[in-house]
């Protein structure tokens, strides 16, 4: 699981860094879209699916007050805290920030998620919805029938125009709902089983085969959700196979996965700073910018994670 989160977080850092470089006019639109659409078809769905792997164990038999408290501390607290950390840094950065902020922005609400922190709000709503349905239905055991019903509900949400009714459930929240249920399904299948030797190669071929044509397909709505489930599932199977085979690099991915929350929360601070420093020095090489933004976007938060853990501040920072 940590190796999966480690691989996914690398694509998150790359994807956000890539968008930042495009906003600074360092690449043509065609190149930007070619990479951006391919990354975004699977990398956030993978994170939602990963969150669903152990959700069945977390919800069953847990009193409502305990479950809600745990989700508030794990998801909502870091979302609120890092909203104002980001705004403060943007105020300090002034005009060099891609989206400049002023001191008046410190008064904005952190809901429904500021910038990339929408993921935490969406995951909170998804998990609360699953818990609420199971608790109200007095479900004591999650069977395949229950999972299918939850998936149908998630797919219905993904195309329901709720975003036009409330700003607290925009399209990102609704679109990703089915992937949490997909993770619950995959967890049931993959966690307790080994894979055949060829599974990793097949998954890799399927992944590439479905990711490469994405920019040319014009996907939207339920079609896009169902299509995205294929590269998402194959990516997860591929990482499972790599972990079982103990391939080189899996250990590094596992380490990064253990710090994935810290990297997710803080990576844009480090990658954006790196981008602006390089631009101030007159560096406009796109490959160099991409490499530097990914390296600093991963290593900076990881070092912060180690420091916070050493100072026993991980809980305070929501890491």
């Amino acid at each position: 699981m940590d190796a999966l989160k480690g691989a996914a977080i690398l694509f998150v850092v790359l994807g956000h860094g890539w968008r930042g470089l495009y906003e600074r006019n360092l690449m043509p639109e065609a190149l930007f879209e070619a990479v951006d659409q391919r990354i975004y078809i699977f990398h956030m769905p993978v994170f939602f699916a990963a969150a669903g792997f152990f959700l069945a164990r977390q919800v069953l038999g847990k009193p409502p007050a305990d479950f809600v408290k745990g989700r508030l501390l794990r998801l909502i607290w870091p979302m609120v805290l890092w909203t104002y950390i980001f705004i403060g840094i943007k105020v300090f950065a002034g005009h060099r920030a891609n989206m400049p902020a002023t001191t008046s922005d410190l008064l904005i609400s952190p809901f429904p998620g500021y910038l990339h922190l929408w993921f935490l709000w969406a995951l909170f709503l998804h998990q609360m919805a699953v818990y609420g349905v199971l608790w109200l239905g007095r479900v004591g055991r999650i069977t395949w029938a229950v999972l299918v019903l939850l998936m149908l509900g998630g797919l219905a949400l993904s195309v329901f125009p709720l975003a036009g009714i409330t700003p607290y459930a925009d399209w990102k929240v609704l679109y990703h709902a089915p992937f949490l249920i997909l993770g619950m399904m995959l967890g049931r299948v993959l966690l307790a089983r080994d894979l055949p030797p060829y599974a990793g190669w097949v998954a890799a071929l399927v992944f590439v085969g479905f990711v490469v044509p994405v920019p040319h397909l014009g996907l939207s709505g339920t079609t896009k959700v169902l299509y995205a489930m294929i590269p998402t599932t194959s990516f997860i199977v591929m990482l499972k196979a790599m972990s079982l085979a103990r391939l080189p690099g899996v250990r590094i991915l596992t380490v990064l996965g253990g710090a994935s929350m810290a990297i997710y929360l803080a990576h844009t601070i480090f990658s954006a700073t790196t981008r602006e420093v390089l631009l101030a020095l007159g560096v406009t090489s796109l490959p160099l910018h991409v490499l530097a933004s990914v390296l600093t976007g991963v290593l900076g938060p990881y070092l912060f994670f180690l420091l916070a853990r050493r100072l026993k501040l991980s809980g305070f920072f929501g890491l």
Side-chain angles (χ1 to χ4, degrees):
M1 178 54 62
D2 279 344
L4 173 63
K5 291 191 292 185
I9 200 64
L10 287 177
F11 281 101
V12 169
V13 176
L14 172 60
H16 286 153
W18 189 255
R19 288 188 168 187
L21 295 172
Y22 172 69
E23 290 167 2
R24 296 292 275 159
N25 299 314
L26 289 176
M27 70 185 76
E29 184 175 1
L31 175 60
F32 166 73
E33 292 291 348
V35 175
D36 186 76
Q37 291 188 39
R38 290 182 172 107
I39 290 176
Y40 276 81
I41 196 66
F42 74 91
H43 82 308
M44 290 311 299
V46 165
F47 261 113
F48 281 97
F53 263 56
F54 299 102
L55 186 58
R57 303 178 190 177
Q58 295 170 345
V59 299
L60 289 179
K62 183 164 286 190
D66 291 345
F67 184 78
V68 173
K69 178 182 178 182
R71 297 304 85 198
L72 288 173
L73 291 174
R74 185 58 181 152
L75 300 173
I76 298 303
W77 166 244
M79 185 187 80
V80 172
L81 175 66
W82 284 86
T83 292
Y84 297 109
I85 289 176
F86 271 103
I87 293 174
I89 290 174
K90 283 179 171 291
V91 170
F92 177 78
H95 70 279
R96 290 197 174 276
N98 274 4
M99 298 173 62
T102 65
T103 53
S104 63
D105 290 316
L106 291 167
L107 300 176
I108 70 170
S109 169
F111 302 97
Y114 183 72
L115 299 177
H116 64 291
L117 301 178
W118 68 266
F119 166 70
L120 302 178
W121 174 245
L123 188 56
F124 174 78
L125 292 183
H126 294 168
Q127 293 185 351
M128 292 301 298
V130 169
Y131 182 86
V133 168
L134 297 179
W135 186 77
L136 290 172
R138 297 294 188 265
V139 176
R141 181 166 161 265
I142 298 181
T143 63
W144 276 108
V146 171
L147 289 174
V148 169
L149 289 174
L150 288 173
M151 176 59 80
L152 292 175
L155 288 171
L157 278 178
S158 70
V159 295
F160 190 73
L162 189 61
I165 301 173
T166 171
Y168 296 102
D170 67 7
W171 72 268
K172 295 189 293 293
V173 172
L174 302 176
Y175 172 82
H176 290 94
F179 297 101
L180 183 76
I181 313 304
L182 175 67
M184 295 177 71
M185 292 177 164
L186 293 175
R188 190 181 179 96
V189 173
L190 295 176
L191 286 177
R193 301 181 186 179
D194 288 336
L195 296 174
Y198 56 82
W201 291 105
V202 172
L205 289 173
V206 171
F207 176 76
V208 172
F210 276 82
V211 167
V212 169
V214 165
H216 311 290
L217 299 178
L219 298 168
S220 63
T222 306
T223 303
K224 184 176 182 180
V225 173
L226 294 174
Y227 187 96
M229 287 186 178
I230 300 173
T232 299
T233 300
S234 57
F235 186 85
I236 292 170
V237 172
M238 187 168 56
L239 265 293
K240 168 83 171 179
M242 290 174 60
S243 298
L244 290 173
R246 301 181 185 278
L247 294 182
V250 169
R251 184 176 179 82
I252 294 175
L253 293 178
T254 301
V255 170
L256 295 180
S260 59
M261 178 65 104
I263 297 173
Y264 189 85
L265 289 170
H267 69 277
T268 57
I269 296 172
F270 291 91
S271 58
T273 300
T274 299
R275 180 191 67 235
E276 295 307 317
V277 168
L278 289 176
L279 288 174
L281 294 173
V283 177
T284 58
S285 167
L286 181 59
L288 181 57
H289 268 277
V290 171
L291 178 62
S293 67
V294 172
L295 285 177
T296 57
V298 170
L299 293 179
Y302 182 70
L303 293 175
F304 176 74
F305 167 76
L306 295 179
L307 178 62
R309 190 169 63 178
R310 184 177 182 84
L311 297 176
K312 295 182 170 47
L313 292 174
S314 297
F316 173 77
F317 285 110
L319 310 180

